[in-house]
Amino acid sequence: MQIKKFDSINVVPMIDIMLVLLVIVLTTATFIAKGVIPLELPSGKSVQNFPREEAIRISISADGKIYVDGHPTDAEGIASFLQGKNPKSPVFLSGDKQARYERFVEVLDRLKGLGFETINIVTLR
């Protein structure tokens, strides 16, 4: 029996592993880029860009759930999340286009009742 000399490295398995890792990285990167709350925003024509440093983000999902800065709450719980926040801070209110208008008005009414005046509605361009 003759022993063969090992002259080269088979790189095909390494390429397969690298491609699998690339697919995993690209798949997870798309989940991270979308954020936690998937919203399908309506489009609008009058668009302004605002700084988001100290902004309060409120989202309403298609099934009517309310999120304040990514934390789920209900309409009554908005006050507890906003307690101690400056009423002059800008509020960015984004609602899914399938969300009920009644829920949107309820959140808007709570914000006005808490003294927030700079309320911006987030839309797509």
Side-chain angles (χ1 to χ4, degrees):
M1 186 176 233
Q2 196 175 21
I3 298 175
K4 292 185 180 180
K5 187 177 178 186
F6 187 65
D7 287 336
S8 64
I9 297 175
N10 188 1
V11 294
V12 175
M14 185 180 74
I15 292 172
D16 289 342
I17 290 171
M18 294 305 284
L19 288 174
V20 168
L21 290 174
L22 180 66
V23 167
I24 291 171
V25 166
L26 291 177
T27 304
T28 56
T30 57
F31 290 130
I32 292 170
K34 286 187 177 182
V36 177
I37 308 163
L39 294 178
E40 200 172 328
L41 296 173
S43 59
K45 294 185 180 176
S46 62
V47 178
Q48 294 178 349
N49 291 326
F50 290 98
R52 297 183 179 248
E53 289 86 32
E54 296 181 13
I56 300 164
R57 294 174 292 117
I58 299 178
S59 305
I60 304 171
S61 64
D63 56 357
K65 293 180 182 172
I66 300 170
Y67 298 88
V68 178
D69 289 332
H71 299 71
T73 185
D74 55 1
E76 292 80 26
I78 291 175
S80 64
F81 274 102
L82 300 180
Q83 187 176 29
K85 300 267 186 175
N86 184 4
K88 300 223 184 278
S89 297
V91 177
F92 292 97
L93 182 58
S94 57
D96 193 282
K97 66 181 180 180
Q98 300 297 325
R100 294 183 54 118
Y101 184 66
E102 175 185 20
R103 195 68 158 166
F104 185 82
V105 171
E106 182 180 8
V107 171
L108 192 60
D109 188 44
R110 296 273 179 185
L111 290 170
K112 290 287 188 177
L114 292 170
F116 288 90
E117 297 177 2
T118 311
I119 302 170
N120 305 291
I121 300 171
V122 179
T123 61
L124 293 177
R125 223 175 218 182

